[in-house]
């Protein structure tokens, strides 16, 4: 039990995924350009990463850039990509000092060269870290991920490397970007929107969903702790009755 936060550290979600939303509206409310919201959003990324690592949550996944985000004005897309590069360079030391491994999911081959390079550097430099895996979903779309998996499965079957009759759920999961991670047990979305927006559709089959009106730049350690406490107040049934759960 972590008495300061009121969190039972023996019942933590092993994987928390977050849809970071509301940077633009937060900036507008402050009379500032959208990029100002993203810059402050980075502070929340830092606070939440620290909070998750301190509690002992082994996997944290953040939706940083969707395949649809390319449709934003190019000025904003460029600013986001630059922010990513700068943040990774600036925070690499922090990741190393705190034994955090950086990982990405999504089609990173489409990212600008400089962004892809700095990501690769940080991923390589943190590859052996054990305390927590911080995954950034970049140019990510769940339907794209599942289509890619279907393509790879069909290809393997056509080459005789995979028997369609033996394809089960675990085998499908092996073809997803998340093959090395447990499924998220908690999905958080900020800014008062009640959508999944094409994020981890396969993986959140049993996740608890937590929606908060707080805009991402205002989502810090306290708000993260509240989401975990809310998760711990819920009963996870997996389709079973309460009586069945009591006997286990
Ligand atoms: C959603 O707010 C936020 C994003 C699309 C980008 C999130 C990116 C960051 C916080 C910076 C990335 C940096 C790292 C290190 C991961 P929005 O722009 O959709 O806000 P709105 O819905 O109010 O317009």
């Amino acid at each position: 039990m972590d008495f300061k936060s009121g969190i039972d550290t023996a019942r933590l979600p092993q994987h928390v995924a977050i849809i970071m939303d509301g940077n633009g509206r937060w900036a507008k409310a402050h009379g500032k350009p959208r990029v100002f919201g993203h810059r402050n959003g980075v502070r929340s990324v830092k606070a939440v990463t620290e909070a998750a690592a301190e509690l002992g949550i082994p996997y944290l996944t953040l939706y940083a850039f969707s395949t649809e985000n390319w449709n934003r004005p190019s000025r904003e897309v460029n600013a986001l990509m630059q922010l990513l590069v700068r943040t990774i360079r600036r925070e690499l030391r922090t990741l190393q000092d705190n034994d955090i491994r950086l990982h990405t999911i999504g089609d990173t081959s489409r990212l600008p060269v400089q962004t892809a390079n700095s990501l690769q550097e940080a991923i390589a430099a943190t590859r052996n870290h054990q305390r927590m895996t911080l995954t950034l979903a970049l140019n990510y779309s769940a339907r794209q991920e599942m289509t890619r998996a279907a393509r790879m499965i069909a290809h393997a079957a056509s080459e005789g490397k995979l028997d369609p009759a033996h394809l089960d759920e675990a085998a499908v999961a092996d073809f997803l970007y998340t093959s090395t991670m447990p499924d998220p047990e908690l999905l958080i979305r900020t800014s008062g929107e009640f959508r999944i927006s094409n994020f981890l559709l396969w993986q959140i089959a049993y996740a608890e969903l937590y929606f908060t009106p707080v805009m991402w730049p205002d989502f810090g350690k306290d708000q993260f702790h509240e989401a975990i406490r809310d998760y711990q107040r819920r009963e996870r049934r997996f389709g079973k009755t309460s009586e069945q759960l009591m006997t286990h």
Side-chain angles (χ1 to χ4, degrees):
M1 188 82 189
D2 183 277
F3 288 104
K4 209 158 54 134
S5 61
I7 288 168
D8 180 355
T9 46
R11 289 190 306 121
L12 288 170
Q14 296 302 291
H15 184 174
V16 178
I18 307 183
I19 302 173
M20 310 183 286
D21 197 9
N23 292 347
R25 275 162 290 161
W26 184 90
K28 197 168 176 206
H30 287 78
K32 295 277 170 60
R34 296 177 57 82
V35 177
F36 181 73
H38 297 315
R39 278 206 299 271
N40 281 274
V42 172
R43 291 199 334 215
S44 298
V45 168
K46 213 176 145 145
V48 166
T49 303
E50 267 175 32
E54 277 167 15
L55 286 172
I57 292 170
Y59 293 91
L60 176 68
T61 299
L62 305 176
Y63 206 177
F65 196 87
S66 75
T67 51
E68 287 84 20
N69 285 151
W70 296 113
N71 298 324
R72 294 191 174 198
S74 59
R75 205 153 39 103
E76 183 176 344
V77 171
N78 292 341
L80 272 170
M81 291 299 152
Q82 270 177 26
L83 194 57
L84 201 62
V85 172
R86 260 188 285 141
T87 307
I88 289 165
R89 295 217 171 122
R90 194 186 312 139
E91 300 298 339
L92 178 57
R93 195 67 265 156
T94 320
L95 295 176
Q96 288 178 312
D97 290 347
N98 289 284
D99 199 19
I100 297 170
R101 187 166 74 107
L102 186 71
H103 183 59
T104 58
I105 55 173
D107 183 4
T108 49
S109 70
R110 298 281 156 92
L111 296 176
V113 165
Q114 208 198 11
T115 312
N117 286 348
S118 56
L119 277 167
Q120 273 321 315
E121 264 171 49
I123 289 168
T126 61
R127 68 191 316 150
N128 295 320
H129 292 175
Q130 304 277 342
R131 185 177 180 196
M132 185 175 87
T133 298
L134 170 64
T135 300
L136 301 180
L138 289 164
N139 194 23
Y140 175 87
S141 138
R143 286 188 174 180
Q144 183 273 334
E145 175 183 41
M146 289 192 272
T147 305
R148 171 181 173 271
R151 198 182 305 120
M152 290 193 290
I153 289 166
H155 191 69
S158 73
E159 289 199 322
K161 291 178 181 157
L162 186 152
D163 177 1
H166 289 113
L167 185 71
D168 57 12
E169 291 182 11
V172 173
D174 277 344
F175 286 91
L176 300 177
Y177 291 125
T178 49
S179 60
T180 58
M181 307 180 214
D183 286 341
E185 289 169 295
L186 173 62
L187 173 72
I188 298 171
R189 181 170 190 149
T190 58
S191 90
E193 304 288 352
F194 297 91
R195 288 189 297 278
I196 302 301
S197 301
N198 212 352
F199 191 42
L200 301 175
L201 294 180
W202 170 282
Q203 297 87 340
I204 61 166
Y206 294 102
E208 294 290 341
L209 307 181
Y210 179 84
F211 298 99
T212 169
V214 175
M215 299 289 156
W216 179 248
D218 286 332
F219 193 90
K221 202 173 273 196
D222 289 346
Q223 288 73 17
F224 185 74
H225 284 167
E226 178 49 31
I228 303 294
R229 282 193 296 270
D230 190 89
Y231 166 86
Q232 294 193 331
R233 285 192 291 268
R234 300 185 200 181
E235 188 186 28
R236 307 194 74 230
R237 292 173 189 258
F238 297 102
K240 296 181 180 171
T241 66
S242 311
E243 289 73 24
Q244 281 177 307
L245 287 174
M246 305 251 287
T247 61
H248 286 91

